[in-house]
Amino acid sequence: MVLVQEVDVVVIGMGVGGEHVAERLAEEGLDVVGVEAELVGGECPYWACIPSKMMIRAGNLLAEARRVPGMAGDSQVVPDFAPVAARIRDEATDDWNDPVAVDRFTRKGGRFVRGRARLAGPGRVEAGGEMFAVRRAVVLATGSRPQIPPVPGLEDVPYWTNRQAVSAKEPPASLLVLGGGAIGMELAQAFARFGTAVTVVEAMERLLPAEEPEAGALLAEALAEEGVTVRTGARATAVRHVDHAFRLTLESREEIAGQHLLVATGRRPQLAGLGLETIGLDPHARALAVDGQMRAAQGVWGVGDVTGRGLFTHVAMYQAEIAVRDILGRPGPDADSQALPRVTFTDPEVGSVGLTEHAARAQGLRVRTGTARVPSSARGWIHKAGNQGLVKLVEDIDRGVLVGATSAGPAGGEVLYGLALAAQNEIPVERLRHMMFAYPTFHRTVEDALADLGHGD
């Protein structure tokens, strides 16, 4: 007979969102159990955000060094991936081990259980062979997993996801990238800068299909200049692994080959095996439905990718703080995702917030847009090599506020901050037009886009 232990809170999934909830509630003096089957910290620090950005930083250094001729002298660049792989292992992941993260949680007063957990009815959680009776809150933070497309043969070959890609000790000679979204593009460019022959295959008609078409076109042009082959509007119909090489067949019947195949076709929330049916929730739902305070059911909260409300680390952290506040019974505003910021860390870096022009029109809004090119700005002209970029603004004509914006360029994600602030707080476009923009900065391109906005439809 399993002994039932009473606790205040059980957090299922200790990725960035769950870890934050568990640590904050433990600091508040609650009796918290955190359950994680893999590594405390989750995808972001071990296989996604942090290691991939280390790769990108290294690739950017190589690109900048190659831009020296014609601007600052001569340069000879000899790529070496070994320092990158070592940094990922030593500095970012502790060779994919988590005792530091576990200790950080337990030192705050929490109890850690390694294993999988499932709901066993209202206020009941099974984890690691133990049963917990939960007095206050169950928090579901099980994250997401790669979404693998139904390409015939794919399930039979040793393809990479982002996990194998960031764990690589050396760059492959050649790489096929299935998927033209953020993850695929970041890793494609990083490997290409270390000498990998990269081919990108995207079924949609453009790269970064969730973003403005101008951003996808800009990135496609930049990648082509670096020798990356980009195939948009190309659907994979079969894959096989023969003689240590992947062979991908396209709808056109063309076959392309590469040493490795990276599948980067998005992610989806993980709900399977959580026992949601025991508390009246649908275990087959695409995502966990939550309200503005992150409540999924009586005594149950959800945070992070599992909610499907933007699969980003910053969304998980934002939602985690709202859940913590609500569990503690402290008043606060509902989650607001109308001005969701996101950044694709390619070169040019693509930052965006809120709605694209297409999404805004699909919602029935009357919009006008304004666009300005970074190379036409003073800072862009000064920057010269590597200055590709643009700013695009989407205005709701009826309210006179920005509902979306894109900032692509050498510092696209940083320029995004001001645009995100404007969209989140619905600052009137007319007021933005009368701001003072520091000169010469990349963000001054926003002023040119506002001027163009005045001539929109």
Side-chain angles (χ1 to χ4, degrees):
M1 183 175 179
V2 177
L3 176 67
V4 178
Q5 304 171 60
E6 289 195 3
V7 297
D8 290 324
V9 179
V10 173
V11 177
I12 303 176
M14 293 282 281
V16 290
E19 182 184 22
H20 184 77
V21 171
E23 289 187 357
R24 286 276 287 105
L25 293 178
E27 287 174 333
E28 292 283 343
L30 272 62
D31 183 8
V32 181
V33 174
V35 186
E36 174 57 54
E38 295 189 302
L39 299 176
V40 173
E43 198 77 16
C44 178
Y46 295 102
W47 298 289
C49 320
I50 305 303
S52 69
K53 303 312 171 278
M54 286 181 170
M55 292 173 64
I56 290 164
R57 166 63 174 154
N60 287 352
L61 286 171
L62 294 175
E64 281 297 284
R66 290 170 179 142
R67 290 164 179 162
V68 166
M71 291 190 69
D74 294 315
S75 65
Q76 182 178 3
V77 183
V78 181
D80 182 1
F81 197 76
V84 184
R87 189 180 181 208
I88 289 172
R89 275 168 173 72
D90 299 339
E91 297 179 29
T93 67
D94 284 336
D95 204 15
W96 291 275
N97 203 3
D98 66 351
V100 173
V102 172
D103 183 58
R104 183 172 57 237
F105 170 54
T106 56
R107 278 190 288 107
K108 294 178 185 294
R111 176 185 168 190
F112 179 66
V113 174
R114 181 83 66 187
R116 299 197 177 278
R118 70 182 306 275
L119 298 163
R124 289 286 191 273
V125 176
E126 297 175 350
E130 301 178 82
M131 178 70 78
F132 297 97
V134 185
R135 289 185 289 258
R136 198 149 178 178
V138 175
V139 180
L140 304 177
T142 48
S144 61
R145 57 183 171 81
Q147 183 169 273
I148 307 302
V151 178
L154 192 57
E155 68 279 6
D156 301 319
V157 301
Y159 60 83
W160 280 2
T161 66
N162 62 295
R163 290 193 172 192
Q164 291 76 30
V166 302
S167 305
K169 292 186 177 180
E170 58 185 28
S174 56
L175 178 67
L176 304 177
V177 178
L178 193 59
I183 296 171
M185 294 305 88
E186 290 178 356
L187 293 173
Q189 187 175 54
F191 277 121
R193 288 176 165 181
F194 278 92
T196 300
V198 178
T199 300
V200 175
V201 177
E202 168 54 51
M204 303 291 282
E205 293 299 325
R206 55 190 172 86
L207 298 182
L208 303 183
E211 304 298 345
E212 295 285 8
E214 294 91 338
L218 184 76
L219 182 55
E221 181 181 338
L223 290 174
E225 288 177 1
E226 295 188 32
V228 175
T229 300
V230 176
R231 304 291 300 273
T232 54
R235 190 175 299 276
T237 57
V239 63
R240 55 198 178 100
H241 190 239
V242 182
D243 298 329
H244 306 292
F246 289 86
R247 300 186 181 278
L248 194 65
T249 303
L250 304 182
E251 208 167 37
S252 63
R253 298 186 179 180
E254 178 186 359
E255 187 176 79
I256 55 178
Q259 182 186 357
H260 284 286
L261 169 65
L262 170 62
V263 178
T265 47
R267 300 183 67 86
R268 63 180 305 166
Q270 293 200 82
L271 295 180
L274 280 178
L276 293 175
E277 66 279 3
T278 69
I279 60 169
L281 298 180
D282 182 4
H284 304 295
R286 186 164 183 83
L288 182 69
V290 293
D291 66 12
Q293 294 295 314
M294 314 317 300
R295 303 173 194 137
Q298 181 66 38
V300 180
W301 284 256
V303 300
D305 288 8
V306 73
T307 68
R309 294 189 173 187
L311 279 58
F312 302 102
T313 292
H314 51 275
V315 172
M317 296 294 287
Y318 172 74
Q319 292 179 336
E321 194 57 35
I322 292 173
V324 166
R325 189 180 63 222
D326 194 48
I327 291 167
L328 293 172
R330 298 169 183 170
D334 284 353
D336 181 2
S337 57
Q338 69 172 356
L340 175 67
R342 53 205 182 271
V343 181
T344 300
F345 292 89
T346 46
D347 177 14
E349 194 171 271
V350 180
S352 53
V353 62
L355 302 175
T356 62
E357 177 185 0
H358 175 78
R361 293 189 189 280
Q363 289 189 13
L365 300 180
R366 290 198 314 130
V367 303
R368 60 183 163 210
T369 65
T371 304
R373 297 278 169 172
V374 171
S376 299
S377 69
R379 180 62 180 275
W381 178 79
I382 293 166
H383 198 76
K384 196 175 180 180
N387 67 354
Q388 301 102 315
L390 60 89
V391 170
K392 179 176 179 179
L393 308 178
V394 181
E395 179 190 2
D396 177 346
I397 296 173
D398 294 328
R399 291 188 294 147
V401 298
L402 296 182
V403 292
T406 296
S407 166
E414 307 307 321
V415 171
L416 182 68
Y417 174 71
L419 294 170
L421 190 67
Q424 177 68 50
N425 293 283
E426 298 186 333
I427 299 173
V429 167
E430 195 57 32
R431 181 174 297 176
L432 295 175
R433 283 198 178 97
H434 295 287
M435 278 180 56
M436 190 181 299
F437 294 83
Y439 180 92
T441 58
F442 285 118
H443 76 250
R444 194 174 170 88
T445 309
V446 173
E447 185 177 40
D448 297 332
L450 286 165
D452 187 62
L453 191 65
H455 299 99
D457 40 341

